[in-house]
Amino acid sequence: MNIVKTVGCRLNQAEGDLLINYPFETLKKPIYIVNTCAVTQEAVRTSWKIIRRTMRDKPKKAWLIVTGCLASVERDKLMECEGIDLVLSQNEKSAFLTKLFQLGDYPYAQITRSRPLLKVQDGCNNHCSFCIACLIRGPVKSTPIRIVLQQISQLINYGYQEIVLTGLNLGCYGQDQNYSLNELLKSLPNGNYRLRLSSLQPETITDELIETLQRLMHQGRLCRHLHIPLQSGDERILQLMNRHYTIKDYCHLINKIITKIPEINIGTDIIVGFPTEDQQSFEKTVQIVNQLPFGYLHIFPYSVRHGTAAATLPDNVSRQEKKERVFQLRLLSRKKAIAYQSKFNQKYLKILAEEQNRGLSDNYLRLPLAKDKRYQKGKIYEILVGQF
């Protein structure tokens, strides 16, 4: 078994889980893999930090392989590093994983997560002006429905009770093969499990998909949780970001979902300090976030990514301004989370046991479990929620 250290998104985490068991037997050496991220400057710094630490700490005879998005954008720099034996770009990593699938079933039984991450889609055609991932990972590519259903069945047979579907742009699943995420969800196999969806872009959520989500969530087969990125509450900034919806469209979508599924937890992404975002633009974002019933926010200070369209714009928001805006939105996120969580005081929720006496509810609340009881990691229990 290889030793893999992964930085970044759920999609990268899913790929890292599979690299743990990639058959590098021909090398006849212990294999250390750093599966990197380059979506922000912070992710780049973290990736390099882990690479250097691994170079220092690994056994002398072990090979070090660096892959992932950083291996695509800084390939030459990595190849010049003494101590790195092999650099695999993101495309090369994908080819390796395709080969692994051809060799046989994915080794899900050896995944140590309580919730396995099942990659069903890669690539994106949106070309948001700030995003380097779509440049690295290319256009939409989807795993055929029949294979996804086989993989879900494998995971059910291994005893997993929550499975997370992930992709770079999950809502675009199937667009390259003339089917849809809605068709996949309507074909789910029966079993003792629940499915959770990773992030969905707002323009990919159709009325038909909402009806399917509502039905599956009511049945308990799909987690009452969606993550739908907003990025900015200012129309001008959204256009500069090359996002494919208006503020009006987004608000209408969120309110429609909440009306259909009142107890759902909806989270969102916000980028602060995007080029030309002035105080008025930021205040519009705060206003929209206050207005909509989010359960939490993921907040990111804008980070220049060379090669993207936004990199040609003036990065004219100071680091201190970004820091202050992130802090303000984090306070608002905490307020939103408390308001949402308080709705479930003294109610029963189905919670997946994780480590350290904590669990995750289907509506994405991380809750403490009783210390005087034993819970099996990865199993679902019905728990009475105490006061938050």
Side-chain angles (χ1 to χ4, degrees), residues 75 142 194 200 215 232 323 342 350:
R75 183 183 183 91
S142 307
R194 66 192 188 193
L200 293 176
R215 177 174 55 81
S232 175
K323 186 175 180 180
S342 65
K350 291 185 177 180

Side-chain angles (χ1 to χ4, degrees), residues 105-170:
D105 292 338
Y106 284 158
Y108 290 121
Q110 299 186 42
I111 295 174
T112 58
R113 296 179 186 275
S114 56
R115 305 182 301 139
L117 306 173
L118 179 57
K119 174 185 172 181
V120 300
Q121 183 273 335
D122 202 349
C124 181
N125 301 332
N126 284 358
H127 298 288
C128 296
S129 67
F130 55 82
C131 182
I132 197 169
C134 67
L135 301 179
I136 294 170
R137 289 181 175 267
V140 170
K141 299 172 283 288
S142 307
T143 305
I145 286 181
R146 62 176 180 81
I147 294 177
V148 175
L149 298 180
Q150 289 172 6
Q151 293 170 344
I152 291 174
S153 295
Q154 285 179 17
L155 291 168
I156 297 169
N157 291 336
Y158 287 137
Y160 292 107
Q161 292 193 351
E162 180 174 313
I163 302 164
V164 183
L165 284 193
T166 187
L168 185 62
N169 188 342
L170 183 61

